[in-house]
Amino acid sequence: MSIFRRSRPADAPESTAPAAQFGTAVVRDGVDDPRVDPAAPEGVEEPVPQVAPISRSGRNMPIAAAVGLLLLGGVLAAAWWHPAALAGLVCLGAFAAVIEWRRVLGRSDRRVPLAPIGLATVGLVVATWYGGPEGLVVALMVGCAGTVAWRVVDERIENTLADSMASMLTLLWIPFLASFLVLMELSPDGWQRVIVVVLAAVGSDTGGLFAGMLFGKHPMARRVSPKKTWEGFAGGLLLGTLTASIAAFFFFDGRWWIGTVVGLASAIAAVLGDLAESAVKRDIQVKDMSSVIPGHGGIMDRIDSLLFAAPVAYVVFGLLLGTS
């Protein structure tokens, strides 16, 4: 049994509401059945509402592209400007994502306490800033123990185990993985590393989207995400690796192969992160985490790939260039 899902009560009646006329459509259980309104004057056509252009992906592509470029520019500028700027951005983004994820869990009757989770989120970033990898691990252990203890002494006894597991998953999934961006930024060439992995993740998402729209025929994981195809995966892998290789050529004295290795690993991790979020959303039966980002959905819908790519890139960069 999933820790997220709450079953419908057995005595809950199925919808038996009769079809009702509304305007020029017959509405049955929330689905419109277009029909001609018998009361409308003959020969008079109803005006057709104008809607924004929607692509095969289901997104408003002009808005999605503009918002995506704005977000990308903000992250790259913060990474280049100062490590503290990126750390602050990571802290703010992780905290907002935790609030969004907590609201989604609430729909499945999972209670994630905001106070300890919020403190632990900030604490993980601060501990990473001052203590590096060791500080991050210690902060994670303290955060998990604190959130479980908070939930145990809560007045609500029901679902204590499930809520505690959901709280620990929240810390592991969002602030812990996001803190690897801060770890990379603390290296002597930190901002270059962060830019390479961000470009790899964004390239993977973008290449996968357009390759899937143009050439996608073979589903990659039908039960998890029916729209993802192997053709899209190949396109994302190609663009993610290419953008990382080009950036590494300029950042690391012509050693483009560093970007190739990091970009390949990050692009694969980005796809896995996207699939992981899709599996969770399918389990709790939501399409988007929220609609806070126009054209993209929720914060988690935008950063899911980067969250998985960051620790992988940190390890690969460490093997190739060291961590200090």
Side-chain angles (χ1 to χ4, degrees), residues 51-308:
V51 297
I54 303 297
S55 69
R56 288 175 55 188
S57 66
R59 299 182 183 180
N60 186 317
M61 291 307 296
I63 293 180
V67 173
L69 289 174
L70 183 63
L71 294 174
L72 176 62
V75 174
L76 299 185
W80 170 79
W81 183 259
H82 196 277
L86 181 71
L89 185 62
V90 168
C91 188
L92 180 62
F95 189 82
V98 164
I99 294 176
E100 177 185 82
W101 170 236
R102 177 176 177 270
R103 290 176 178 173
V104 172
L105 287 179
R107 304 175 194 172
S108 300
D109 198 29
R110 295 281 76 82
R111 286 181 59 179
V112 173
L114 180 59
I117 290 290
L119 289 174
T121 297
V122 177
L124 260 67
V125 177
V126 173
T128 302
W129 178 267
Y130 288 104
E134 295 83 2
L136 175 59
V137 173
V138 171
L140 175 65
M141 295 173 63
V142 172
C144 287
T147 54
V148 172
W150 185 290
R151 183 62 188 86
V152 168
V153 299
D154 197 343
E155 294 181 358
R156 184 190 187 202
I157 302 301
E158 297 79 14
N159 298 321
T160 297
L161 176 60
D163 290 349
S164 299
M165 294 295 291
S167 298
M168 289 190 287
L169 173 63
T170 301
L171 289 179
L172 283 166
W173 189 10
I174 304 175
F176 176 71
L177 296 182
S179 294
F180 280 90
L181 290 172
V182 180
L183 283 178
M184 278 190 287
E185 182 75 8
L186 294 177
S187 301
D189 52 358
W191 68 270
Q192 293 98 323
R193 299 188 186 195
V194 171
I195 288 179
V196 168
V197 67
V198 169
L199 290 178
V202 172
S204 175
D205 285 347
T206 304
L209 173 65
F210 284 100
M213 289 171 54
L214 296 174
F215 310 110
K217 293 182 180 179
H218 301 89
M220 186 178 181
R222 189 185 300 272
R223 294 186 62 186
V224 175
S225 182
K227 291 185 178 181
K228 287 182 175 56
T229 61
W230 286 107
E231 292 81 2
F233 172 72
L237 208 62
L238 178 62
L239 186 58
T241 304
L242 180 62
T243 54
S245 300
I246 294 174
F249 177 83
F250 292 101
F251 291 155
F252 304 116
D253 300 323
R255 292 178 290 175
W256 56 268
W257 55 270
I258 294 177
T260 301
V261 177
V262 173
L264 184 63
S266 299
I268 294 175
V271 173
L272 293 177
D274 197 6
L275 288 174
E277 195 212 16
S278 296
V280 171
K281 290 194 298 185
R282 184 167 291 273
D283 182 44
I284 59 181
Q285 300 178 6
V286 297
K287 182 180 183 297
D288 292 322
M289 291 294 188
S290 71
S291 58
V292 68
I293 304 179
H296 293 270
I299 299 173
M300 288 296 295
D301 298 315
R302 184 64 277 160
I303 68 172
D304 55 352
S305 302
L306 186 58
L307 288 177
F308 272 59

Side-chain angles (χ1 to χ4, degrees), residues 21 23-24 35-42:
Q21 291 285 348
T24 60
R35 296 182 181 179
V36 177
D37 188 348
E42 184 176 357

